[in-house]
Amino acid sequence: MRQVRFNHLLGLAGVSREVITEILDSAEAFLEVLERPIPRVPSLRGVTVANLFFEPSTRTRISFELAEKRLSADVVNFSSIGSSMSKGETILDTARNIEAMKVDVVVIRHSAQGAPHFLAERINAAVINAGDGTHEHPTQALLDMLTLRHQVGRLEGLKVLILGDILHSRVARSNIWGLRTMGAEVTLCGPATLIPREVESLGVNVTHNLDEALAWCEVVNVLRLQLERQREGLIPSLREYQRSFGLTRERMERAGREIVVMHPGPINRGIEIDSDVADGPYSVILRQVTFGVAVRMAVLYLIAGGERVIE
Ligand code: CP
């Protein structure tokens, strides 16, 4: 097996097509492992991984933990709630103390942009970004791309619409970097207040007309309206947002053809997407979650055990 080695995964900005392809190809092998009666390989035996979650998570936290266990790694989980951070310990001291217990890989989610980069410069363990503020969420974009490769069969030239709250979305940023590198066409749609101007320099199109965007795309990736990060005045009201940018069955029917529907979760049902669509025939939302385990196995394997064979 051809193998690319890398030390950290901090984001998809600047990550080459070769590396992304290697991760997705490795994830394909792990999808096969996950179908076995005993879905476990010894690839990371003797490797210790610490999952440091300073922000809430369901999918990413469980997915990383499952991926690590499926690879036979030793796993420790840290949540800032109930930790010594409540006594004033810093993130760096926390990470250094955990590393002193001979941890090889740190998976980190944090509300501050750049927290994984900060750690990567200061500790010896490999660092994987599991979502940093509004900056990047690289494994989410990788699992989205793996899902698309399976569902549509290609990324090159694929027309992907990213819909909704782009301003606060690390998922959008990582998807833009990854999809553009892999040759997809990307259009962003949402209210002007939720699309930062600088994204146009990343080679994407921007529209505020959802019906036109749906007429163009093959895939729509719907983003959660991040209610906890909204400042006053960004949207007139939830009702207004839903009316202009909510993905409804009526809108999908108006588009008149099959469009793959994605969402990173968690979903605000009835706001950015209706249940009819989220649970409908074109939705791959739960497949994304399934593929997430294989992608995280691939990332861990290439960072911590890439020279060993998958047995
Ligand atoms: N997609 C995602 O990051 O979900 P969680 O916040 O539940 O991890």
Side-chain angles (χ1 to χ4, degrees), residues 12 14 51 66 69 73-74 83 103 106 137 146 153 165 214 216 223 253 256 260 268-269 277-278 281 284 289 291 300:
L12 291 190
N51 299 312
L66 269 179
K69 289 179 171 168
D74 294 315
S83 76
V103 165
V106 166
H137 192 350
L146 183 66
D165 185 356
L214 287 173
W216 168 83
L223 301 175
E253 283 172 359
V260 178
N268 295 308
R269 288 176 183 266
V277 181
V284 294
V289 179
F291 283 21
L300 287 156

Side-chain angles (χ1 to χ4, degrees), residues 207-221:
T207 179
H208 309 296
N209 184 321
L210 179 52
D211 286 319
E212 274 179 23
L214 287 173
W216 168 83
C217 70
E218 299 168 84
V219 176
V220 55
N221 194 348

Side-chain angles (χ1 to χ4, degrees), residues 154-223:
R154 71 184 206 288
L155 293 172
E156 182 76 49
L158 189 65
K159 293 179 175 161
V160 181
L161 172 64
I162 303 179
L163 170 62
D165 185 356
I166 314 291
L167 179 67
H168 299 109
S169 179
R170 54 197 176 208
V171 174
R173 264 171 204 77
S174 289
N175 262 279
I176 292 169
W177 285 115
L179 287 166
R180 293 293 297 130
T181 299
M182 299 308 284
E185 291 179 49
V186 179
T187 292
L188 310 179
C189 179
T193 48
L194 293 182
I195 301 186
R197 277 227 182 92
E198 68 268 15
V199 289
E200 288 188 60
S201 67
L202 304 180
V204 298
N205 305 305
V206 173
T207 179
H208 309 296
N209 184 321
L210 179 52
D211 286 319
E212 274 179 23
L214 287 173
W216 168 83
C217 70
E218 299 168 84
V219 176
V220 55
N221 194 348
V222 187
L223 301 175

Side-chain angles (χ1 to χ4, degrees), residues 78-288:
F78 167 91
S79 156
S80 51
I81 298 164
S83 76
S84 289
M85 291 190 84
S86 61
K87 301 175 199 162
E89 190 163 39
T90 65
I91 173 178
L92 182 57
D93 280 334
T94 302
R96 280 192 174 142
N97 276 273
I98 290 169
E99 190 183 39
M101 297 178 219
K102 306 293 177 207
V103 165
D104 303 294
V105 182
V106 166
V107 176
I108 175 170
R109 167 167 290 193
H110 202 284
S111 58
Q113 283 92 292
H117 308 66
F118 176 82
L119 282 194
E121 285 166 9
R122 288 166 178 82
I123 63 175
N124 293 318
V127 176
I128 300 175
N129 182 358
D132 62 325
T134 60
H135 179 229
E136 281 227 39
H137 192 350
T139 57
Q140 178 68 44
L142 289 163
L143 74 89
D144 291 343
M145 288 190 279
L146 183 66
T147 308
L148 287 174
R149 258 190 16 177
H150 270 248
Q151 199 66 24
V152 190
R154 71 184 206 288
L155 293 172
E156 182 76 49
L158 189 65
K159 293 179 175 161
V160 181
L161 172 64
I162 303 179
L163 170 62
D165 185 356
I166 314 291
L167 179 67
H168 299 109
S169 179
R170 54 197 176 208
V171 174
R173 264 171 204 77
S174 289
N175 262 279
I176 292 169
W177 285 115
L179 287 166
R180 293 293 297 130
T181 299
M182 299 308 284
E185 291 179 49
V186 179
T187 292
L188 310 179
C189 179
T193 48
L194 293 182
I195 301 186
R197 277 227 182 92
E198 68 268 15
V199 289
E200 288 188 60
S201 67
L202 304 180
V204 298
N205 305 305
V206 173
T207 179
H208 309 296
N209 184 321
L210 179 52
D211 286 319
E212 274 179 23
L214 287 173
W216 168 83
C217 70
E218 299 168 84
V219 176
V220 55
N221 194 348
V222 187
L223 301 175
R224 181 172 72 88
L225 183 63
Q226 298 199 25
L227 299 166
E228 74 279 19
R229 295 195 223 259
Q230 298 298 327
R231 298 190 308 276
E232 205 154 314
L234 289 178
I235 53 169
S237 68
L238 288 182
R239 181 85 196 93
E240 194 64 31
Y241 181 86
Q242 193 274 341
R243 208 181 345 232
S244 300
F245 299 103
L247 193 63
T248 60
R249 182 153 57 99
E250 294 70 37
R251 275 217 159 89
M252 292 290 283
E253 283 172 359
R254 265 205 302 276
R257 64 202 159 73
E258 184 172 336
I259 299 172
V260 178
V261 175
M262 309 177 81
H263 192 305
I267 298 174
N268 295 308
R269 288 176 183 266
I271 299 179
E272 72 264 5
I273 189 167
D274 279 1
S275 286
D276 283 354
V277 181
D279 305 327
Y282 304 147
S283 169
V284 294
I285 293 171
L286 292 178
R287 280 198 105 189
Q288 290 173 258

Side-chain angles (χ1 to χ4, degrees), residues 53-58 61 80-81 109 170:
F53 278 73
F54 298 89
E55 209 193 43
S57 168
T58 297
R61 187 172 54 81
S80 51
I81 298 164
R109 167 167 290 193
R170 54 197 176 208

